Amino acid sequence: HCLLTDSDGRERTQEFHGHTVNLLVNLPLMCLDVLLTPKVDPGSVEYMGMNMDTVEILLDFMDNRLDRGLKLRESLTPVLNLLTESSRYHRETRKFLRARVLPPLRDVKNRPEVGETLRNKLVRLMTHVNTDVKHCAAEFLFVLCKENVSRFVKYTGYGNAAGLLAARGLLGGGRGDGKYSEEEDTDTEEYKEAKPNINPVTGRVEEKLPNPMDGMTDEQKEYEAMKLVSMFDKLSREQIIQPMGVGCDGKLTPLDETMQQMADQISLHSDSDMELD
């Protein structure tokens, strides 16, 4: 197998593996079986009774491309796409990659994008300036999370995940279209202890800030709320910002359209209830 073959020197080997990845990524999904073999030789990487040598090499190849940080669209997205599609098609590959890329969380003091683990490097790419790069990185992690929104946000933080969730119509939560088993996520004791204090937007433990409205009377709170509404209204009328909401399709839509959709739904339910009566 080409991925198991070394060339003259590390650079030539990386180049050879790069050409192999470009070939594999253009094969039909059913042909990705070549990445897995049931034959486990002495010294091979074994997982769930399967030989994972080629997947391990692809993972190392991806890590090397991440560290280089050069021409990521050309050098990184092919291997990301290959690992993503292989994870969708093969349960063994997905579980092996998840164990390596998204092990059970222990460090929740730092943001998901801070650090040098594979997870940290990939989460950093989720806000990359190149659309293809950030989409491929986010899609790979999303598939490793079995397209489960809450699990995806847990490992990446909502701020990093919002782009993919908006594109997929999943801002309101739920799951993607993929078919996966219903295995429960396993949390470490460190994560369970810290979970109540984790900010879901940043994905890390943060100290609770004092409530700025503590000590205010109800009249003062109402005044501050109306002042804020007036500021947003002015910015909206001057087209400096456009208030958005999550529509029925789970995607961002202008707030006035979202409110109209909600009003239509309430009216529809009311009419249905009257017919039942």
Side-chain angles (χ1 to χ4, degrees), residues 101-102 105-127 141 154-157 160 201-206:
V101 179
L102 298 177
L105 284 177
R106 297 184 184 278
D107 176 20
V108 285
K109 295 181 180 178
N110 297 310
R111 291 173 178 263
E113 65 269 25
V114 175
E116 292 304 318
T117 66
L118 276 171
R119 165 178 165 252
N120 303 143
K121 297 173 186 177
L122 289 166
V123 172
R124 280 200 290 273
L125 291 184
M126 292 172 65
T127 53
L141 294 176
K154 167 185 168 181
Y155 282 97
T156 66
N160 294 312
V201 176
T202 61
R204 70 168 181 180
V205 172
E206 294 183 356

Side-chain angles (χ1 to χ4, degrees), residues 70-123:
L70 300 173
K71 297 182 179 179
L72 292 178
R73 184 177 181 275
E74 294 79 9
S75 65
L76 181 65
T77 56
V79 68
L80 275 175
N81 284 328
L82 178 60
L83 290 174
T84 300
E85 294 308 318
S86 183
S87 296
R88 276 200 180 101
Y89 198 67
H90 294 111
R91 177 172 176 263
E92 295 88 353
T93 300
R94 176 179 53 76
K95 290 176 72 68
F96 174 75
L97 289 173
R98 185 180 171 201
R100 295 290 302 276
V101 179
L102 298 177
L105 284 177
R106 297 184 184 278
D107 176 20
V108 285
K109 295 181 180 178
N110 297 310
R111 291 173 178 263
E113 65 269 25
V114 175
E116 292 304 318
T117 66
L118 276 171
R119 165 178 165 252
N120 303 143
K121 297 173 186 177
L122 289 166
V123 172

Side-chain angles (χ1 to χ4, degrees), residues 206-240:
E206 294 183 356
E207 293 183 7
K208 292 184 179 180
L209 298 175
N211 188 340
M213 290 193 172
D214 283 348
M216 287 187 180
T217 64
D218 289 342
E219 291 77 11
Q220 289 173 321
K221 293 178 181 178
E222 184 177 352
Y223 172 77
E224 292 296 333
M226 291 308 299
K227 187 166 71 170
L228 186 62
V229 169
S230 298
M231 290 169 61
F232 274 109
D233 181 59
K234 181 181 178 182
L235 291 171
S236 178
R237 282 187 284 104
E238 294 178 357
Q239 297 185 340
I240 297 174

Side-chain angles (χ1 to χ4, degrees), residues 18-52:
H19 293 313
T20 306
V21 167
N22 291 334
L23 171 65
L24 289 170
V25 81
N26 286 290
L27 294 178
L29 286 177
M30 63 185 69
C31 296
L32 294 182
D33 289 341
V34 298
L35 297 178
L36 299 177
T37 61
K39 182 181 178 182
V40 180
D41 299 320
S44 296
V45 179
E46 179 185 357
Y47 190 81
M48 296 178 67
M50 303 295 288
N51 186 321
M52 290 289 173

Side-chain angles (χ1 to χ4, degrees), residues 151-168:
R151 186 175 298 171
F152 184 52
V153 169
K154 167 185 168 181
Y155 282 97
T156 66
Y158 192 84
N160 294 312
L164 179 136
L165 298 181
R168 298 281 291 266

